[in-house]
Amino acid sequence: MYNMKHDNIKILLVSHSPFLNGAEIALYNLATNLDKDKFEVHMVFPFDGPIAAMAKKAGIFCHFSPMERWIRFVSERPIVNSELSQRVDKLCSLIKELGIDIVHSNTSVIIEGAIAAALTNTQHVWHIHEFLKQHPELRLIFPIEYVYNVIEQLSDKVVSVSDFVKSQFEFRDKRKLVTVYNGIEESHVLKQNNYIREHCNLNESDLIVIAVGLLSRTKGFTTFLETANLTAKAERNIKFVWVGGNGSNSIKMFRRFVKKNKLENSVFYLGHRMDVRQLIESSDILICTSILETFSLTIVEAMSVKKPVISTNCGGPAETILDNHTGYLIPIDDSSKMSELILELSENKLKRECMGKNGYKQFMERFTLDKYVTSIGHLYSELSGQSIDNDALRSRYLTAESILQVYERASIKNWSEMKESFFSKILNRM
């Protein structure tokens, strides 16, 4: 039997990236707010970046070890001259050197932390932010049933960011599954009603509709543009603002659409920003046009600053938005309905304020940072007092070894097939 006994539980948080996206921000919030009298927190990143810099500045122990996505976008290729076994060995050494008690893998797209935990007999938490079935952009190296089995076999607990995410799993041991909603701090930003207006040179009378996220197909930026175009025909003082990073093709499409439909005075793109909460707070309505969302920190941010939300019913938002109470849920890709509701709310300030207050109440009851961190902390404490029986140790060890044996061939084959498919699509467009 393997049992952990430490006064201070040592946690290794494994991040798939060091960038400022939703999953990474949630992990940073966890790392910097766990009780330091109970937990010693270390973070490991594949390379340096903004979140890593923030974590180091906050006094978190940060480490760097190469990782490759086993669930990846088409544009992501395997790391050259780096085998999975080598990457896992480096993490195993780190786990042993630091005396780690619990390895916490953030997101399903990386596997190194799970295998390293299995090979070192260390408790493992897999924090799932993705809904993998029929994902519009992510591609799996192995069949999805095998992926789900690996996640179960290599985890003591699987944390889902929503019940929607949890619903994709059919575990034999359902006790391993738990939903913990991401949380954020209550807003302490001073009211800055002209903040976004000053950035976009807008009038006080303009009603501002904001969307936040990567400019991508999954986030539904085409629905955003079509909604703005339909709304513009009503000739109201309604302005649309998109905040978030982009790929070269998506920004070209965005700008081409704006120019073609003469929307230069009503649609604005601000790119990646560090002041998202202030931008949302100085707007009037937040919209989410995604075709898939597993939770959406942005929606919770809007609720925290008392803004109504109109979102597509694309998964997680159904668990955060109370339809016709804190905002609206509409069908995916329905720009007509989105525009209709924006116009309706633009004429009813009282309803906007009422929905905002209702959303704030919902936020305080369910989505605060304290609730999120406390729930994960309790989970760690629970695991630290448990032992892993020998059968479970043997099973996860064999699972880890089997992946190491077949991974490289599957990874290369997957990349080759994805690359051929990607280029064939491009050639068909030419």
Side-chain angles (χ1 to χ4, degrees):
M1 301 284 282
Y2 174 75
N3 201 8
M4 298 175 296
K5 291 181 179 179
H6 292 295
D7 293 330
N8 205 305
I9 303 170
K10 294 185 177 182
I11 311 295
L12 182 65
L13 301 176
V14 185
S15 180
H16 70 296
S17 102
F19 299 120
L20 288 161
N21 300 311
E24 296 92 321
I25 292 170
L27 191 69
Y28 170 80
N29 286 340
L30 176 65
T32 53
N33 287 279
L34 279 167
D35 188 341
K36 292 178 176 58
D37 292 330
K38 293 181 180 179
F39 306 104
E40 179 181 308
V41 179
H42 295 258
M43 298 185 78
V44 59
F45 302 91
F47 47 88
D48 209 347
I51 284 282
M54 289 166 57
K56 283 185 281 188
K57 188 175 181 180
I60 302 296
F61 300 108
C62 292
H63 313 270
F64 300 94
S65 186
M67 285 176 264
E68 173 184 290
R69 297 188 186 215
W70 74 314
I71 298 170
R72 57 181 68 140
F73 295 104
V74 172
S75 59
E76 292 172 322
R77 62 178 302 164
I79 302 174
V80 179
N81 299 323
S82 174
E83 293 188 358
L84 177 62
S85 58
Q86 297 170 333
R87 301 194 298 273
V88 168
D89 283 346
K90 189 168 182 180
L91 279 180
C92 286
S93 297
L94 186 63
I95 290 168
K96 293 173 182 176
E97 176 188 341
L98 298 175
I100 294 298
D101 300 310
I102 299 173
V103 175
H104 179 142
S105 293
N106 192 45
T107 79
S108 63
V109 304
I110 49 171
I111 196 170
E112 285 87 349
I115 296 176
L119 297 181
T120 57
N121 293 343
T122 307
Q123 300 272 18
H124 181 248
V125 174
W126 214 327
H127 203 153
I128 310 298
H129 296 255
E130 301 80 21
F131 191 85
L132 298 175
K133 289 182 177 179
Q134 300 177 332
H135 193 285
E137 294 178 297
L138 289 174
R139 300 293 178 265
L140 282 66
I141 290 176
F142 299 105
I144 193 166
E145 293 80 9
Y146 179 73
V147 171
Y148 287 154
N149 182 62
V150 166
I151 290 172
E152 179 177 11
Q153 289 295 318
L154 297 186
S155 303
D156 295 281
K157 284 289 184 180
V158 174
V159 178
S160 297
V161 297
S162 63
D163 287 336
F164 170 68
V165 169
K166 187 168 73 172
S167 71
Q168 70 188 303
F169 299 111
E170 296 180 4
F171 285 1
R172 288 184 289 274
D173 185 357
K174 297 190 182 303
R175 293 171 301 178
K176 284 189 176 183
L177 277 170
V178 60
T179 295
V180 178
Y181 292 122
N182 291 331
I184 59 172
E185 282 187 295
E186 184 180 355
S187 177
H188 299 295
V189 178
L190 296 175
K191 289 292 181 183
Q192 301 184 58
N193 293 327
N194 291 320
Y195 188 78
I196 198 167
R197 288 172 172 81
E198 292 172 357
H199 280 74
C200 299
N201 195 26
L202 302 178
N203 297 322
E204 186 69 33
S205 59
D206 290 330
L207 182 128
I208 301 174
V209 178
I210 191 170
V212 180
L214 185 68
L215 205 62
S216 68
R217 177 176 169 237
T218 301
K219 296 297 183 181
F221 79 92
T222 54
T223 299
F224 170 86
L225 291 171
E226 289 162 3
T227 298
N229 193 34
L230 286 171
T231 307
K233 297 182 189 317
E235 297 184 348
R236 310 278 178 81
N237 292 331
I238 301 176
K239 310 298 182 182
F240 288 77
V241 177
W242 187 287
V243 179
N246 70 86
S248 58
N249 289 331
S250 57
I251 190 61
K252 288 176 183 175
M253 291 172 62
F254 188 98
R255 288 170 176 162
R256 192 182 305 126
F257 186 98
V258 169
K259 184 176 181 180
K260 179 182 177 181
N261 292 281
K262 299 180 173 58
L263 297 173
E264 291 90 345
N265 293 323
S266 59
V267 175
F268 303 86
Y269 174 70
L270 298 188
H272 175 74
R273 303 281 300 211
M274 296 291 288
D275 52 356
V276 171
R277 186 86 70 99
Q278 289 136 299
L279 292 170
I280 294 174
E281 187 172 29
S282 56
S283 302
D284 298 290
I285 302 168
L286 177 107
I287 62 172
C288 171
T289 54
S290 299
I291 61 176
L292 177 66
E293 285 286 348
T294 55
F295 179 72
S296 182
L297 274 177
T298 300
I299 288 176
V300 173
E301 282 186 308
M303 294 165 65
S304 77
V305 292
K306 302 180 181 179
K307 300 300 173 181
V309 180
I310 306 172
S311 174
T312 51
N313 194 357
C314 56
E319 295 173 50
T320 54
I321 297 170
L322 298 178
D323 193 31
N324 205 27
H325 186 68
T326 66
Y328 295 107
L329 289 167
I330 67 170
I332 294 169
D333 289 332
D334 196 340
S335 53
S336 178
K337 186 65 176 178
M338 182 78 78
S339 176
E340 175 190 322
L341 291 172
I342 289 170
L343 289 168
E344 177 187 311
L345 286 179
S346 73
E347 297 176 342
N348 195 335
K349 183 178 180 181
L350 184 62
K351 188 165 189 176
R352 295 199 307 270
E353 291 177 346
C354 183
M355 282 185 161
K357 289 176 182 177
N358 292 339
Y360 179 74
K361 182 180 179 182
Q362 174 89 333
F363 161 75
M364 291 298 295
E365 289 175 355
R366 303 179 67 198
F367 305 118
T368 63
L369 181 61
D370 181 64
K371 291 182 185 299
Y372 164 61
V373 174
T374 299
S375 295
I376 299 294
H378 284 162
L379 185 149
Y380 290 157
S381 297
E382 178 188 330
L383 284 179
S384 71
Q386 295 179 357
S387 60
I388 310 173
D389 64 62
N390 290 330
D391 288 340
L393 286 174
R394 191 177 303 109
S395 175
R396 68 178 59 186
Y397 183 87
L398 291 173
T399 299
E401 284 291 330
S402 69
I403 295 169
L404 288 172
Q405 291 174 18
V406 301
Y407 180 88
E408 303 304 335
R409 185 180 299 175
S411 177
I412 293 169
K413 182 175 182 292
N414 173 268
W415 162 246
S416 177
E417 290 175 350
M418 286 169 60
K419 181 177 65 174
E420 290 172 6
S421 173
F422 177 70
F423 283 117
S424 67
K425 288 179 181 178
I426 291 177
L427 289 171
N428 288 334
R429 293 173 187 166
M430 296 176 67

